[in-house]
Amino acid sequence: MAVDRLLPTDEARDLIHLTRDITDKVLAPIVDEHEKAETYPEGVFATLGEAGLLSLPYPEEWGGGGQPYEVYLQVLEEIAARWAAVAVAVSVHSLSCYPLMAFGSEEQKQRWLPEMLGGATIGAYSLSEPQAGSDAAALACKAAAVDGGYRIDGAKAWITHGGIADFYNLFARTGEGSKGISCFLVPKNTEGLSFGRPEEKMGLHAVPTTSAHYDGAFVPAERRIGTEGQGLQIAFSALDSGRLGIAAVAVGLAQAALDEAVAYAQERTAFGRKIIDHQGLGFLLADMAAAVESARATYLDAARRRDGGLPYSRQASVAKLVATDAAMKVTTDAVQVLGGYGYTRDFRVERYMREAKITQIFEGTNQIQRLVISRHLAG
């Protein structure tokens, strides 16, 4: 079911219609095939890039779409309602463009940003490590200063689009403590950079998640983003925006599950009536709808604060927490509505439930979101 959206401009409304047209024609017909076969959808991201959907929240002067975050997130939700794995990769690409846009020099932006925002190159975010997930200050991957740049040694984990993306935002240690981490823009073809085999995940099968290994990889000094030691500031600043992206993805996924459950409940009969007309099931669907709409309102509130130049870090964590917990609950309830059929792979709600779980984990687990929120309240 198409969601009726309150959008700020006619351009934004046209953009939503364009997104629906592309996702219905390009994504929806092939999503089941690729998710079941665990195959990468070649050409999909090029299509989204050509349509301008990979750069929406960035300034037009650099090749972006110049759209408010409020609009970008609703586009992302529309993509997620058709294909969550693709939407996650789009969100990660947007996240990976942020450090250069916000902290890069004018020369760096002129050199690399237009092709990143134009969709000619796809980005990935490389923060987590095998032994450092939520505790980002514990990173061990090292960037030792050498003549002309840095020598990188160490491992990274859980990289969405790993091995396929064209560039990687790498956060590596250049000193001691939390202020000893720096950010680098590393191209895929860097000598000494290799990738592990794709993880065997519960969901999001069509887009690979891999580890990365740096074995004496040389990165020129010109590819350091920001000042040395500014890495965690850059990473956490980017994650505030990234968390809103995941919130929007979660809402799109939950909306798709709700739509499937409602359609099934209108067709299936029991005891002489459609099952949606039985109060026990009708109330369950009503709670699902309330959860989806509440989560959507929460991420839009945070996005509007961001667009208005107001602090939004706490609201981003609230949105990520609320939306992803809602997605897990709604997709689980959708399986319940379909009963035994919902537990089979013949129906999409089974996949939706598996995909929803990861939204509670990446871009900071929901336990970390609660920590962020409580610290804001205490501070």
Side-chain angles (χ1 to χ4, degrees):
M1 174 177 74
V3 175
D4 291 330
R5 299 188 179 277
L6 291 172
L7 294 161
T9 63
D10 289 339
E11 182 183 8
R13 281 186 284 275
D14 291 341
L15 185 57
I16 290 294
H17 289 311
L18 172 66
T19 303
R20 287 174 177 170
D21 185 59
I22 291 174
T23 53
D24 285 340
K25 291 178 179 177
V26 177
L27 302 188
I30 62 173
V31 54
D32 294 326
E33 165 196 346
H34 283 284
E35 286 295 331
K36 288 178 180 178
E38 302 190 19
T39 51
Y40 185 73
E42 297 287 351
V44 160
F45 291 95
T47 299
L48 296 178
E50 289 169 5
L53 300 184
L54 297 182
S55 60
L56 292 175
Y58 291 99
E60 291 179 292
E61 65 179 295
W62 298 109
Q67 291 297 316
Y69 227 70
E70 168 191 359
V71 174
Y72 157 66
L73 293 180
Q74 292 186 78
V75 168
L76 197 58
E77 182 191 329
E78 293 285 347
I79 297 172
R82 279 75 168 179
W83 199 337
V86 170
V88 166
V90 171
S91 178
V92 168
H93 172 72
S94 180
L95 173 68
S96 68
C97 294
Y98 181 86
L100 178 58
M101 181 68 245
F103 295 90
S105 67
E106 288 299 304
E107 182 181 352
Q108 287 174 322
K109 286 189 281 191
Q110 288 175 6
R111 184 171 180 182
W112 295 308
L113 201 54
E115 64 179 14
M116 291 162 64
L117 296 181
T121 58
I122 299 296
Y125 206 68
S126 190
L127 176 62
S128 295
E129 296 182 1
Q131 303 301 323
S134 298
D135 186 5
L139 298 183
C141 183
K142 292 185 178 180
V146 295
D147 187 29
Y150 296 83
R151 173 189 169 98
I152 314 294
D153 289 281
K156 289 292 177 176
W158 312 117
I159 303 172
T160 298
H161 247 145
I164 291 179
D166 301 291
F167 65 91
Y168 297 83
N169 277 127
L170 169 70
F171 295 88
R173 184 164 294 285
T174 51
E176 299 298 322
S178 61
K179 295 184 179 180
I181 294 168
S182 300
C183 177
F184 302 89
L185 190 66
V186 180
K188 175 184 177 180
N189 60 0
T190 297
E191 186 175 353
L193 170 59
S194 61
F195 299 90
R197 64 178 179 82
E199 302 291 346
E200 297 181 2
K201 299 176 293 186
M202 181 185 294
L204 307 181
H205 291 150
V207 175
T209 300
T210 73
S211 58
H213 304 276
Y214 291 84
D215 184 11
F218 176 73
V219 176
E222 64 187 12
R223 284 187 169 270
R224 190 192 71 222
I225 305 301
T227 60
E228 197 168 281
Q230 199 177 13
L232 281 190
Q233 177 192 350
I234 295 172
F236 293 154
S237 176
L239 284 175
D240 282 340
S241 298
R243 285 165 180 163
L244 291 182
I246 296 306
V249 170
V251 172
L253 186 56
Q255 182 69 58
L258 173 63
D259 292 346
E260 292 271 349
V262 170
Y264 181 85
Q266 289 176 327
E267 295 175 359
R268 179 80 172 183
T269 60
F271 307 105
R273 291 191 295 169
K274 296 178 180 179
I275 62 174
I276 197 171
D277 293 329
H278 292 277
Q279 189 178 85
L281 197 65
F283 280 13
L284 178 62
L285 291 166
D287 286 342
M288 292 163 66
V292 173
E293 296 194 20
S294 298
R296 180 178 295 119
T298 303
Y299 87 62
L300 285 175
D301 173 71
R304 287 163 183 156
R305 291 179 65 87
R306 184 188 190 280
D307 291 333
L310 298 174
Y312 72 99
S313 180
R314 175 167 64 90
Q315 287 78 10
S317 285
V318 169
K320 199 272 185 183
L321 172 64
V322 168
T324 60
D325 279 356
M328 193 71 251
K329 179 71 164 60
V330 169
T331 56
T332 301
D333 286 345
V335 170
Q336 190 72 19
V337 170
L338 270 68
Y341 290 115
Y343 198 65
T344 71
R345 295 194 174 185
D346 293 331
F347 291 81
R348 289 178 173 177
V349 292
E350 177 270 343
R351 170 162 59 83
Y352 296 155
M353 181 178 172
R354 288 187 286 105
E355 291 173 334
K357 185 63 219 174
I358 189 58
T359 66
Q360 295 179 303
I361 297 172
F362 54 20
E363 306 287 15
T365 67
N366 282 8
Q367 286 69 36
I368 290 295
Q369 305 312 320
R370 290 177 170 90
L371 180 62
V372 171
I373 296 164
S374 66
R375 285 179 174 175
H376 274 279
L377 295 175

